[in-house]
Amino acid sequence: GDDGMIFIFNYNSYRQEGGLRVDLTDKNPEAVKICKFMQGTDILVSADLEGYIHFWCVTATPHPKKNQLLCSVRDFSESDVGEKAFFPIRAMDFDIETGMLYTGDEMGYMNKWDISKLIEKLDDMKPKDFNDGLTEKQREVKQKAAFLTGLNENLKVQFSSDDVIQVHRWKAH
């Protein structure tokens, strides 16, 4: 929305599942202009008026990063006078086979982004099935230890803008 807020609804239960908003301490978030669920992943991508592309973990199943911002990158263009400029992203699409995100801004620039590293990191954090080779007692001890010590192997995974690589950029018109 114009206030930078994204609401997630479950259309099976007709309930709001969560709200997403970039936390900017120094200013109000920019208006969100486009959102897209990345098919086959737990990622929602949004873009705002300032040219930022935000990657969120959105899933119906339990996940340690559920409804959290994973990372952000900024799409920039060079204006006709040679200055760096930031334009709103107006279109995006995702190729599930290659893990590539395609974006287009309002000045006609297209970008190809490799987000396969981001997808892989997020998938590695998914809670494992109960067929992990541990007995029920071993699994219970491991869960208690993680709770008591605050050490969870999923907390070691850090997301950053380096997980999203700009592969190619071109002027579409």
Side-chain angles (χ1 to χ4, degrees):
D2 286 340
D3 62 352
M5 195 74 187
I6 302 169
F7 293 100
I8 307 297
F9 288 92
N10 181 329
Y11 284 109
N12 291 328
S13 66
Y14 301 106
R15 294 180 53 190
Q16 182 179 332
E17 293 286 325
L20 310 173
R21 187 177 192 172
V22 176
D23 184 23
L24 301 173
T25 55
D26 59 339
K27 66 175 196 162
N28 292 329
E30 292 294 332
V32 175
K33 288 301 169 188
I34 188 168
C35 293
K36 181 157 181 77
F37 286 99
M38 302 293 100
Q39 181 184 359
T41 74
D42 293 331
I43 297 174
L44 170 77
V45 180
S46 67
D48 65 24
L49 275 178
E50 289 290 312
Y52 281 101
I53 304 169
H54 306 288
F55 297 86
W56 308 86
C57 176
V58 176
T59 177
T61 59
H63 195 286
K65 294 286 186 180
K66 184 175 183 174
N67 294 343
Q68 293 182 32
L69 179 65
L70 302 173
C71 69
S72 298
V73 295
R74 195 167 195 192
D75 175 41
F76 71 90
S77 299
E78 195 169 294
S79 69
D80 292 336
V81 293
E83 294 178 358
K84 187 185 274 191
F86 304 99
F87 300 109
I89 304 295
R90 297 297 186 170
M92 60 176 73
D93 204 2
F94 177 66
D95 183 353
I96 191 171
E97 292 179 17
T98 62
M100 298 292 169
L101 173 69
Y102 296 88
T103 62
D105 68 26
E106 67 181 23
M107 295 305 291
Y109 286 96
M110 301 293 298
N111 280 295
K112 179 179 179 181
W113 305 89
D114 183 351
I115 63 169
S116 58
K117 187 175 180 182
L118 186 74
I119 295 167
E120 184 179 313
K121 278 182 162 181
L122 196 61
D123 283 348
D124 287 346
M125 292 182 70
K126 279 185 182 177
K128 305 293 183 238
D129 292 336
F130 287 108
N131 299 327
D132 54 8
L134 299 176
T135 66
E136 189 171 331
K137 184 70 174 170
Q138 288 170 324
R139 213 173 359 273
E140 184 179 317
V141 168
K142 186 176 179 182
Q143 288 172 344
K144 283 182 183 177
F147 175 76
L148 293 173
T149 62
L151 297 175
N152 182 335
E153 62 224 24
N154 290 331
L155 296 178
K156 296 176 190 172
V157 178
Q158 298 293 319
F159 293 90
S160 76
S161 59
D162 295 334
D163 298 332
V164 179
I165 300 163
Q166 185 178 24
V167 177
H168 187 62
R169 177 179 184 73
W170 67 97
K171 180 85 167 163
H173 55 78

